[in-house]
Amino acid sequence: MTESVWDLFDLEGRVAIVTGGYGQLGSQMCDALAEAGANVVVAARTYEKCVEKAEELSAEHGEAMAVEVDVTDEDAVERMVETVVDEFGAIDILVNNAYDAHGYGVAFEDLTVDEWERTLEGVVTQTFLCSQKALPYIRESDHGTIVNIGSHYGVVAPDHRVYGDADINNPPTYGAAKAGVIQFTRWLASYLAADGIRVNSISPGGFYNEEMEDIDDYTEVFVPEYEHRTPLGRMGDETDMKGIIVYLASDASKWMTGQNLVLDGGWTAW
């Protein structure tokens, strides 16, 4: 019998790890995967926040768990994988969302090699590490998929004029590292295709962040300038990551691999 569209999106019983799972975008993705039926693992450095998010998910949906992990530490990533498998017996979905970028508010001429290298480690290397360590278990899944989180600034350069004096101008470290994630996605998709494992990336545009409202020029300059340059006329909101992550994590996208889906309200369309 042909599967219905609801069957294709159903994640019931699957195990999904989301690194950086309690942050602005990570929290949305955890919510969406749990709502679709997955057992979600909230993984990040601050264990207390992971626990808070996991308890929220468990109360509203299926069983979730929290794991403390530094995704740039090989041993810590191995422990995360072992902990998840000990608890749930499987890994079906890996969302590489965590990142640690440096160089914000620093002029290009003053950017240090340390800031450059730490960003590559905190964005590209962690994506490699988590994918490599989880792979043996993802291979055992009938629905194995990896979703990497890139950025529209891994596709195009930022418009430096939109930032004013907000001191949040996108640094070269970030865009270079996110571009690396997108290319790594393509390479890994090609490599794992024979195993039936799909690898795709999402490149979000700017999402409105209430925690940045106290920063100079954020609401007065950056937000209106950013929205003006976006065809849909707004920044991302509290639900914009939900549909796309369930699509890529589920059988609804079972013939899609090696793709980078840009979720930016049209920012890169012109």
Side-chain angles (χ1 to χ4, degrees):
M1 186 176 70
T2 303
E3 291 179 296
S4 72
V5 68
W6 306 117
D7 292 331
L8 292 172
F9 281 97
D10 186 13
L11 298 177
E12 189 69 34
R14 300 185 200 179
V15 178
I17 299 175
V18 181
T19 66
Y22 62 75
Q24 184 183 20
L25 301 188
S27 183
Q28 271 196 50
M29 292 188 285
C30 285
D31 288 342
L33 295 170
E35 288 169 22
N39 297 116
V40 176
V41 179
V42 185
R45 286 179 176 172
T46 307
Y47 183 64
E48 293 77 13
K49 292 185 177 181
C50 292
V51 169
E52 181 180 349
K53 185 64 186 178
E55 289 179 346
E56 174 189 319
L57 295 172
S58 295
E60 298 181 6
H61 308 290
E63 183 182 356
M65 71 177 296
V67 176
E68 180 179 1
V69 63
D70 176 353
V71 291
T72 65
D73 183 321
E74 185 172 2
D75 291 338
V77 173
E78 287 182 344
R79 288 194 297 272
M80 173 188 72
V81 169
E82 291 169 0
T83 300
V84 172
V85 174
D86 286 346
E87 178 68 21
F88 291 119
I91 299 173
D92 302 286
I93 302 158
L94 171 65
V95 181
N96 287 311
N97 171 62
Y99 76 93
D100 185 17
H102 300 266
Y104 287 93
V106 178
F108 171 74
E109 293 82 357
D110 299 325
L111 192 68
T112 67
V113 172
D114 179 64
E115 289 169 324
W116 178 267
E117 292 180 342
R118 286 172 65 194
T119 301
L120 293 179
E121 179 184 38
V123 179
V124 183
T125 302
Q126 65 89 8
T127 302
F128 155 75
L129 270 180
C130 292
S131 300
Q132 185 186 64
K133 301 306 178 184
L135 181 58
Y137 301 99
I138 296 176
R139 275 197 169 111
E140 295 176 2
S141 171
D142 293 330
H143 307 277
T145 184
I146 297 172
V147 182
N148 299 322
I149 306 304
S151 168
H152 69 322
Y153 283 158
V155 178
V156 297
D159 183 344
H160 299 277
R161 298 170 297 180
V162 305
Y163 292 94
D165 295 321
D167 214 25
I168 56 171
N169 197 0
N170 192 270
T173 51
Y174 181 85
K178 287 297 190 178
V181 168
I182 294 168
Q183 177 55 27
F184 176 65
T185 297
R186 298 187 181 108
W187 186 94
L188 195 60
S190 176
Y191 182 70
L192 295 178
D195 295 318
I197 298 171
R198 300 181 300 104
V199 187
N200 294 287
S201 59
I202 303 168
S203 285
F207 276 66
Y208 186 83
N209 190 340
E210 293 181 355
E211 295 180 1
M212 301 182 74
E213 290 177 348
D214 292 335
I215 296 176
D216 289 344
D217 279 359
Y218 180 74
T219 55
E220 294 82 4
V221 177
F222 171 71
V223 172
E225 289 289 336
Y226 190 96
E227 291 178 340
H228 176 69
R229 287 165 172 77
T230 304
L232 289 184
R234 66 174 179 84
M235 301 187 75
D237 66 22
E238 65 277 4
T239 64
D240 282 331
M241 285 291 288
K242 296 182 75 172
I244 195 169
I245 189 61
V246 174
Y247 173 65
L248 289 180
S250 71
D251 291 347
S253 60
K254 63 184 178 182
W255 205 45
M256 176 177 285
T257 195
Q259 301 305 304
N260 177 52
L261 302 188
V262 183
L263 183 72
D264 66 353
W267 176 276
T268 56
W270 56 15

